[in-house]
Amino acid sequence: MPDELTPDTLSENAKLSPILPVPSLNKIATHPLREKLYNELHNRPFQSIASPAQLTHLAIHHQGKLRQKEHQFISLLCNRFQVNSPAESMPCFYQDFGLFSLRWERHLEYSTYTFIHQAPLTEQPFIKNAIDYVPSDWFEQMPGQVIAAVHLVVESKNIDKGTTHKVEPFFDNMSLIASAPVHSQAKVWSSFKLHDDGFGRFLIYQQDLSAAQLGRLVQQLLQLDTYRLMATLGLPMAQEINSELNQLDLQLQQVTTYIALGTDKSDRELLTDVSKIAAKVEDYRSQSTYRFSATNAYYDVALQRMDELKEEEIPGYMTMQEFLMRRITPAVKTCQTASNHLEDISRRVTRASDLLRTRVDMVLQEQNQTLLKSMNHRAHVQMRLQQTVEGLSVAAISYYGMQLFETMLTSLPSLGVKYNHELVSGFSVPIIIGIVFVGTRLIHKRLMKDVT
């Protein structure tokens, strides 16, 4: 059996084998985004919140713009309280200003401002809120458009299932949605309606939650309220597009009927109609593609936040997940229907355009065949005329050749040559004609050879 390891044997082995240096990444190339990807996990941590507390949460829609204005806006508040301003590139910022704290986050198309005041209530809930401790002249300069605004109150109460809480007066006696999230470690009420001050309201009663657990619960509720509004932001556009798409659907149906049955409308008119429909469809697609894609993304995140709440039912109330699913899902389905309808019409327009192009190509081919036939006929006539002209040109050239030959004959007597003029002239006629004819044919063959 091998010897057992003892402190003495370990020390002896350490003396025999040198200590190896600890590996380091300093001399190894690292990916330029490695550190950024690590930090991304900690960009927006949960905010620890102690009970009791009052919060005011706003989601400001900026469509990916106003980055510089937001930075100037937050810097103005920091300068007023003589604290350090955040860097312009920071996506998240938290600062304690004494009576209130500010948590700011910038997202793709909106930013959130969460004001936190951690102190016991001096009056009943929602009479004095966290926003009341914020300088009003600074708050009124906030850039962007408010898409979500909610007051949230956290109180420490007995949350036994048998305990009854009369919270309806805090919500102006509106019908309430309530549940016991975090496995019944808290109770949450909300009406999901706007009150006279323009804010929604959440009321949380908790008993044994830690500051970290309470911070996660508050963040989930605030994100759920924001995401459910962002998910339904595309509903008005979907409703408007659906009514327009129904008209385009009828127009496209008429065009395809004309193509199938054949009418007095010309192909040019049909192509014009299809082009107009295609232009409108592409215009709607360019307007709605991003909005509908964002709707699906926000809807998925809202579903995730609902699952993370781990709600349990409070007798007599509808849970938040049950309420929101009944309201949000039809809106999201409407957006999905409009998107699918757009894609369907786009495909049908493409097929109608292909059919019309096929018809136009066939008409062009028939016109080309007719044109080729007429060109062949003209070429044949031209060839016959050319042959006739060649025959006449042979006669004309032969005539001028005879004249030249006659001139040569008249000069022979001066040279002392005696001949029978009539006989020589008569025999020269067929010879000259033959030479001209053969020469013309040789030239014609050479020209035709060059052409081919």
Side-chain angles (χ1 to χ4, degrees):
M1 294 180 65
D3 296 337
E4 293 183 357
L5 293 177
T6 62
D8 295 336
T9 58
L10 288 174
S11 60
E12 291 178 0
N13 292 336
K15 293 178 181 178
L16 294 176
S17 60
I19 298 176
L20 296 177
V22 178
S24 175
L25 295 178
N26 294 333
K27 298 182 179 180
I28 303 176
T30 58
H31 196 280
L33 297 178
R34 178 174 180 266
E35 185 176 355
K36 182 178 180 180
L37 296 177
Y38 263 88
N39 294 335
E40 185 65 27
L41 296 175
H42 309 283
N43 270 342
R44 297 180 175 92
F46 292 110
Q47 186 69 44
S48 296
I49 298 177
S51 178
Q54 300 89 51
L55 295 89
T56 298
H57 175 81
L58 294 100
I60 306 299
H61 193 228
H62 52 61
Q63 299 179 339
K65 306 174 184 177
L66 307 179
R67 179 182 293 273
Q68 187 175 2
K69 288 185 177 181
E70 281 189 332
H71 180 259
Q72 293 174 352
F73 176 68
I74 296 174
S75 299
L76 186 64
L77 181 66
C78 293
N79 294 336
R80 175 178 293 194
F81 286 86
Q82 298 181 352
V83 298
N84 293 329
S85 302
E88 189 171 352
S89 60
M90 289 182 61
C92 181
F93 171 71
Y94 174 78
Q95 181 64 49
D96 187 354
F97 293 95
L99 289 178
F100 70 96
S101 301
L102 170 63
R103 179 183 176 87
W104 170 82
E105 295 182 11
R106 182 177 176 89
H107 298 266
L108 184 62
E109 58 177 338
Y110 70 93
S111 295
T112 59
Y113 296 79
T114 305
F115 302 96
I116 307 169
H117 175 69
Q118 298 194 154
L121 287 173
T122 57
E123 302 179 69
Q124 71 176 25
F126 308 115
I127 297 298
K128 190 172 181 62
N129 300 287
I131 197 66
D132 297 324
Y133 298 94
V134 178
S136 59
D137 57 337
W138 171 82
F139 176 75
E140 292 170 357
Q141 302 178 40
M142 183 176 291
Q145 298 177 327
V146 177
I147 188 69
V150 62
H151 295 308
L152 188 147
V153 174
V154 180
E155 285 289 302
S156 297
K157 296 281 186 178
N158 186 352
I159 56 170
D160 292 338
K161 289 188 176 181
T163 303
T164 302
H165 302 280
K166 300 295 182 180
V167 298
E168 285 78 5
F170 305 149
F171 293 88
D172 301 330
N173 294 314
M174 295 181 179
S175 59
L176 297 181
I177 314 300
S179 65
V182 199
H183 303 297
S184 296
Q185 297 186 61
K187 289 183 179 180
V188 179
W189 289 268
S190 179
S191 62
F192 286 104
K193 294 180 181 180
L194 297 179
H195 294 261
D196 293 338
D197 57 357
F199 286 80
R201 294 178 182 179
F202 280 101
L203 177 60
I204 300 176
Y205 284 167
Q206 68 86 30
Q207 187 172 4
D208 297 320
L209 291 178
S210 65
Q213 289 177 316
L214 186 57
R216 286 195 295 270
L217 174 60
V218 167
Q219 188 177 44
Q220 288 166 356
L221 291 173
L222 296 179
Q223 288 181 348
L224 177 59
D225 190 66
T226 301
Y227 286 134
R228 61 103 179 177
L229 288 170
M230 295 299 296
T232 56
L233 195 59
L235 179 60
M237 180 183 292
Q239 292 171 338
E240 181 181 355
I241 287 179
N242 273 329
S243 62
E244 296 293 334
L245 290 182
N246 291 333
Q247 297 298 324
L248 291 180
D249 206 351
L250 293 176
Q251 296 176 16
L252 184 58
Q253 184 179 356
Q254 291 177 353
V255 172
T256 53
T257 302
Y258 291 153
I259 296 173
L261 301 180
T263 61
D264 296 336
K265 273 197 170 186
S266 64
D267 292 339
R268 181 186 297 274
E269 293 175 337
L270 292 176
L271 273 175
T272 301
D273 294 340
V274 172
S275 299
K276 290 180 179 179
I277 296 174
K280 290 182 180 179
V281 170
E282 290 304 316
D283 182 41
Y284 290 142
R285 289 180 67 184
S286 64
Q287 294 179 27
S288 62
T289 298
Y290 173 78
R291 186 73 270 149
F292 291 162
S293 299
T295 292
N296 292 328
Y298 288 126
Y299 179 62
D300 291 339
V301 178
L303 293 180
Q304 182 182 4
R305 295 297 181 268
M306 293 179 198
D307 292 335
E308 290 174 353
L309 286 176
K310 300 179 177 61
E311 293 180 286
E312 294 184 9
E313 185 177 356
I314 295 179
Y317 295 98
M318 185 183 297
T319 64
M320 286 185 288
Q321 182 171 8
E322 184 180 4
F323 174 80
L324 292 176
M325 285 294 291
R326 289 185 178 183
R327 270 65 178 181
I328 299 177
T329 302
V332 174
K333 294 297 182 183
T334 301
C335 296
Q336 293 174 351
T337 300
S339 178
N340 295 335
H341 199 178
L342 268 174
E343 296 300 325
D344 178 63
I345 293 182
S346 179
R347 289 190 294 267
R348 289 168 56 196
V349 167
T350 301
R351 290 196 295 267
S353 299
D354 292 339
L355 288 174
L356 282 174
R357 289 193 186 95
T358 303
R359 285 182 53 174
V360 171
D361 290 341
M362 293 178 63
V363 172
L364 289 176
Q365 289 178 4
E366 291 177 357
Q367 292 176 352
N368 291 336
Q369 290 177 356
T370 304
L371 181 61
L372 288 174
K373 288 181 180 179
S374 63
M375 290 176 64
N376 289 334
H377 178 69
R378 286 196 297 269
H380 180 71
V381 172
Q382 187 177 2
M383 184 181 65
R384 296 300 299 271
L385 290 173
Q386 183 179 354
Q387 291 175 352
T388 303
V389 171
E390 287 178 357
L392 296 175
S393 62
V394 169
I397 294 171
S398 299
Y399 174 77
Y400 287 110
M402 287 295 300
Q403 295 295 323
L404 293 174
F405 187 70
E406 287 287 341
T407 303
M408 292 174 60
L409 289 178
T410 56
S411 64
L412 289 179
S414 63
L415 296 175
V417 180
K418 295 182 180 180
Y419 64 96
N420 188 335
H421 183 78
E422 289 79 4
L423 182 62
V424 174
S425 296
F427 276 103
S428 66
V429 171
I431 295 173
I432 292 173
I433 293 174
I435 292 173
V436 172
F437 179 77
V438 172
T440 304
R441 297 304 299 173
L442 289 174
I443 293 172
H444 184 270
K445 287 183 179 180
R446 179 172 293 179
L447 291 175
M448 293 301 295
K449 183 178 180 181
D450 293 339
V451 171
T452 56

